[in-house]
Amino acid sequence: MNITDAVYNRLAADAGVVALLAAYNGAPAIFTNTTVPGDAPRPYLWSPGDTAGTTFDNLDEFGRDVTRDVICIADDTGSSAPVEALKEAVYSAMHRQNLTVPGGRHVMTIFAGEGVAPTDDTLTGRFITFRIVIMEA
């Protein structure tokens, strides 16, 4: 099951999210690697992997229940409005929306929390956490 691809594809397909992002190599600035490229333009999204997870079964299927952060980063302009708008667009794109999961069947994606992401003094950041439940195909 490739949850990373499912999250990336959902965010990259949402016009409201893409409208608020910079472009990187001809695509929306959404990064899923463990590091963000040093030349990444802002604003961008970063979702490097699951922050927690468990497996379970219901007698005839196996599943995964994972927690995934999407981190919103923008230039610090003295206002949090741009990064807050991006966070809200991510919320709308993901909360209770269907994900297409290669190798799995999506059960649910729900909002699980949010907060201020630590950054340096040139950036501002927010994170939004989702709980994603997937059954193995």
Side-chain angles (χ1 to χ4, degrees):
M1 292 186 291
N2 194 327
I3 296 171
T4 297
D5 283 353
V7 169
Y8 175 89
N9 292 336
R10 179 75 190 116
L11 292 170
D14 187 274
V17 170
V18 172
L20 298 172
L21 294 175
Y24 185 76
N25 290 338
I30 302 171
F31 304 101
T32 58
N33 199 4
T34 55
T35 59
V36 174
D39 63 344
R42 294 176 289 273
Y44 64 78
L45 297 178
W46 181 40
S47 186
D50 302 335
T51 57
T54 60
T55 59
F56 62 90
D57 68 78
N58 64 7
L59 300 179
D60 60 349
E61 289 182 296
F62 291 98
R64 290 176 55 197
D65 187 340
V66 301
T67 303
R68 169 75 58 125
D69 289 340
V70 178
I71 303 161
C72 308
I73 299 292
D75 288 318
D76 186 353
T77 62
S79 171
S80 63
V83 77
E84 289 286 338
L86 182 55
K87 178 187 62 102
E88 290 301 318
V90 168
Y91 172 87
S92 294
M94 295 284 294
H95 179 65
R96 297 196 182 275
Q97 300 300 315
N98 290 323
L99 298 179
T100 301
V101 181
R105 179 176 54 82
H106 178 252
V107 176
M108 71 174 186
T109 298
I110 58 171
F111 169 79
E114 63 184 298
V116 175
T119 59
D120 65 23
D121 61 356
T122 66
L123 305 173
T124 184
R126 301 292 186 271
F127 71 86
I128 186 164
T129 303
F130 296 96
R131 179 177 169 218
I132 303 171
V133 179
I134 306 294
M135 301 305 291
E136 291 182 7

